[in-house]
Amino acid sequence: MTVQLPWWQREAFYEVYPRSFQDSDGDGVGDLPGLLRRLDYLADLGVGAVWITPFFPSPQRDFGYDVADYCGVDPTMGSLADFDRLVQEAHRRGLRVVLDLVANHTSSDHPWFVEARTSRASRRRDWYVWRDPAPDGGPPNNWLSFFGGPAWTLDAATGQYYLHQFLPEQPDLNYRNPAVLAAMEEVVRFWLDRGADGFRVDAAWLLVEDEKFRDEPPNPAWRPGMRERDRLVHLHTEDQPETHAVLRRLRAVLEEYRDRQPVLVGEVYLPFHRLVSYYGSSEEPECHFPFNFALVDLPPEEWTAQTLGSLVASYEAALPPWAWPSWVLGNHDRPRVASRLGEERSRLAHLLLLTLRGTPTLYYGDELGLPDGVVSPDRVRDTAGFREWGGRWSRDAARTPMPWDPGPQAGFTTGEPWLPLNPDFPRRNVQLQRQDSRSFLQLVRRLLHLRRSHPALVSGSWRLREAPPGVLAYRREGEDETFLVALNFRVQPARLELAAEVLLSTFLDREGWERSLELRGHEGLLARLRA
């Protein structure tokens, strides 16, 4: 008998950056009521879980990733009542709601930090990471921030430095203090009690730092043009052993609600052999899965059949036998996949994403083939990301408003959008792509529905198959069906000498049984093999 998988294994996830998804009140900023209006779109698309980036009260220096109140909704995003309605309506459509748990740090405006910096004797002083200055009065060690400069800022009033791996206005919490973890556990319970279906833990691999505060060694691979933070090898600020105890405690809170199967997902940027430790063990579980960013990190020139086949095989080999895989193509922090690969290869990438074993996560707009937006320096809102990337790129480019139709402001707002719309929105939008049977949107929608209709594409085995040069081919085999996925990463045509029923081409112009599979340049096929 087939075992019913938990929902977080069956369903595809969809990341919504709410500021850019749908505005409901004309202020140019997307919000929770706007997202509620678009739930039917997501249900029809075929995703099963909506991951919403932070909507909590915040001064918006890092657009919600600087939390000032973990148990509220920022007024620009709506209200707690709006959240409750969103969850109710999402569940009515069979959609789960996953929240972003910004556990590594708070805003400097959070009452915890405001109290912590009043004096060294404050009862919340040890909720954050404080150190005395170095003998020369400078920072206590050489640690660097993601957003440029030292990871330490001097609090002149109390004469100590506090740690921030991101902005100075994002002080790091101290998880060596049991009270901090207990407070975060209560935050998790607060949202689970309101109907949330799980959490993505932001910066999960950074939660704990070296207890001895040792300097980090220089990175011999650093070259001009790389990020300033990459000058160092992060032996003492990333992936500390104590991090896993924090995640085990958060997972234990979710187990209190196990009848609803809430999910814990970790944001972890580490190589496979270290990434898989964030599953914990079958006896002491941590994340249900950490995000696997290998496809996001893979340079465009390395999107070849040989490299991708080796990458997938390496990941599968690194996974513990009981662990569930995860695949991601993009997110709110990285250039969009269509800009990295171009439209044809981006179609191939989505066929890959939605036919590999494991839970796929899509980023809003990628289902339209949406490229990075054009955000001139005078329109950049993400000054932190602009610094992180050395001014060459801003995360704003991957956060431009969702184009819903070719009308005024692309149907996103009746006001002035907080970021400029992509210039191609009159041609690239949901309304027009719904009407085009061969559009990018139709490709992603059909793939999602095929994935739901055929269990072998979700839980079946994965195995590479021999293929002509430039073609990545693999089998997905379940109890009743076997599928072949073939992706031609070259311009030249290729042929696979086997009979199969083509269910879908990335060009969306062929279906049916074929005696041999002819692949055009940059074409991908999903085919069913004869029993």
Side-chain angles (χ1 to χ4, degrees):
M1 174 180 284
T2 302
V3 177
Q4 178 73 3
L5 298 176
W7 68 265
W8 51 268
Q9 291 184 335
R10 300 192 310 270
E11 301 290 1
F13 283 47
Y14 184 97
E15 180 189 355
V16 167
Y17 194 73
R19 293 181 66 89
S20 294
F21 200 61
Q22 178 65 64
D23 175 26
S24 71
D25 57 11
D27 67 356
V29 176
D31 45 42
L32 296 186
L35 172 54
L36 189 152
R37 279 180 48 194
R38 298 298 185 178
L39 290 179
D40 286 339
Y41 166 78
L42 297 177
D44 178 72
L45 182 63
V47 297
V50 185
W51 155 34
I52 314 172
T53 62
F55 52 78
F56 316 113
S58 164
Q60 305 297 328
R61 298 184 184 101
D62 193 19
F63 297 107
Y65 284 94
D66 48 332
V67 178
D69 176 4
Y70 283 105
C71 297
V73 175
D74 193 272
T76 62
M77 295 284 169
S79 65
L80 279 171
D82 291 324
F83 174 81
D84 293 340
R85 282 192 291 274
L86 176 65
V87 169
Q88 180 182 16
E89 289 301 314
H91 288 172
R92 192 167 67 82
R93 292 165 172 81
L95 295 166
R96 267 73 174 196
V97 177
V98 176
L99 308 189
D100 222 316
L101 185 66
V102 188
N104 178 69
H105 51 265
T106 70
S107 166
S108 55
D109 290 4
H110 196 292
W112 297 346
F113 189 71
V114 172
E115 183 176 347
R117 72 191 311 178
T118 57
S119 83
R120 293 194 185 194
S122 165
R123 70 187 181 98
R124 285 209 166 94
R125 184 71 170 185
D126 197 36
W127 283 44
Y128 295 85
V129 182
W130 299 89
R131 297 291 286 173
D132 289 330
D136 64 359
N141 61 27
N142 71 344
W143 295 356
L144 295 173
S145 160
F146 277 89
F147 292 153
W152 298 94
T153 289
L154 179 66
D155 181 61
T158 58
Q160 283 189 313
Y161 282 84
Y162 64 88
L163 176 68
H164 54 87
Q165 294 223 51
F166 296 92
L167 290 173
E169 295 84 5
Q170 293 171 295
D172 275 36
L173 288 162
N174 176 22
Y175 280 96
R176 297 187 186 278
N177 181 346
V180 172
L181 182 51
M184 200 57 65
E185 289 172 341
E186 289 308 305
V187 170
V188 168
R189 290 189 181 95
F190 175 86
W191 291 107
L192 289 174
D193 288 341
R194 298 194 88 96
D197 297 292
F199 301 88
R200 172 261 196 188
V201 182
D202 181 61
W205 83 115
L206 306 174
L207 294 176
V208 182
E209 302 79 31
D210 176 44
E211 191 171 25
K212 296 180 180 178
F213 295 94
R214 289 169 285 188
D215 277 354
E216 297 195 308
N219 178 8
W222 188 87
R223 298 290 183 272
M226 295 172 64
R227 297 183 307 180
E228 180 184 2
R229 186 174 182 274
D230 291 336
R231 287 179 179 271
L232 303 177
V233 178
H234 304 295
L235 298 181
H236 305 309
T237 55
E238 297 183 359
D239 193 27
Q240 300 302 295
E242 298 89 342
T243 303
H244 298 281
V246 177
L247 293 170
R248 285 196 295 271
R249 286 278 298 274
L250 295 177
R251 175 66 178 269
V253 175
L254 268 66
E255 292 301 318
E256 298 170 13
Y257 299 77
R258 66 172 63 90
D259 58 317
R260 289 164 42 193
Q261 300 178 334
V263 68
L264 191 70
V265 182
E267 181 194 27
V268 180
Y269 282 93
L270 290 172
F272 293 151
H273 69 283
R274 294 164 65 191
L275 175 74
V276 296
S277 69
Y278 285 77
Y279 287 96
S281 66
S282 54
E283 296 78 21
E284 294 185 297
E286 297 174 27
C287 297
H288 289 89
F289 56 84
F291 277 142
N292 163 19
F293 295 111
L295 296 178
V296 179
D297 289 333
L298 190 66
E301 64 273 14
E302 295 184 24
W303 275 75
T304 66
Q306 182 176 357
T307 299
L308 287 165
S310 297
L311 184 150
V312 178
S314 297
Y315 177 57
E316 286 279 352
L319 288 166
W322 46 268
W324 186 251
S326 156
W327 292 98
V328 180
L329 278 180
N331 61 32
H332 61 281
D333 285 330
R334 306 298 287 271
R336 285 189 177 272
V337 62
S339 287
R340 303 196 313 264
L341 301 180
E343 177 150 339
E344 285 185 328
R345 288 198 300 164
S346 185
R347 284 180 177 246
L348 291 176
H350 279 82
L351 176 55
L352 178 72
L353 173 74
L354 295 173
T355 57
L356 286 173
R357 195 173 74 91
T359 296
T361 298
L362 297 96
Y363 181 49
Y364 88 95
D366 280 356
E367 74 272 23
L368 304 176
L370 193 67
D372 283 346
V374 179
V375 184
S376 59
D378 62 304
R379 291 295 305 274
V380 167
R381 304 287 296 275
D382 175 38
T383 54
F386 198 64
R387 288 205 307 269
E388 179 182 1
W389 290 80
R392 300 183 303 277
W393 184 77
S394 160
R395 293 177 300 176
D396 288 341
R399 300 174 176 182
T400 53
M402 183 75 166
W404 294 102
D405 60 51
Q409 310 296 23
F412 165 70
T413 182
T414 57
E416 179 67 22
W418 78 287
L419 282 176
L421 296 161
N422 285 42
D424 67 351
F425 85 85
R427 303 181 306 280
R428 188 187 303 277
N429 58 70
V430 171
Q431 179 179 306
L432 292 183
Q433 291 205 18
R434 273 178 163 166
Q435 298 166 4
D436 180 356
S437 63
R438 297 184 184 178
S439 69
F440 210 115
L441 176 61
Q442 296 291 5
L443 170 66
V444 173
R445 182 179 179 278
R446 285 188 59 186
L447 279 168
L448 285 164
H449 284 265
L450 282 167
R451 186 178 180 276
R452 272 187 169 169
S453 302
H454 300 283
L457 294 176
V458 175
S459 58
S461 62
W462 177 91
R463 183 159 55 91
L464 277 173
R465 184 192 184 280
E466 287 189 17
V471 175
L472 172 64
Y474 51 90
R475 291 165 61 103
R476 297 298 315 279
E477 188 167 355
E479 292 182 1
D480 304 315
E481 290 183 302
T482 300
F483 295 91
L484 176 79
V485 180
L487 304 104
N488 185 7
F489 284 94
R490 292 186 176 181
V491 175
Q492 296 82 10
R495 174 185 294 179
L496 279 76
E497 297 290 352
L498 80 168
E501 180 191 8
V502 174
L503 300 182
L504 176 143
S505 159
T506 51
F507 297 153
L508 295 178
D509 62 355
R510 60 193 281 198
E511 292 179 22
W513 283 98
E514 300 183 7
R515 293 184 178 180
S516 64
L517 296 179
E518 304 279 349
L519 287 160
R520 292 164 286 185
H522 289 153
E523 182 180 24
L525 296 178
L526 170 60
R528 179 162 41 199
L529 301 179
R530 293 186 187 276

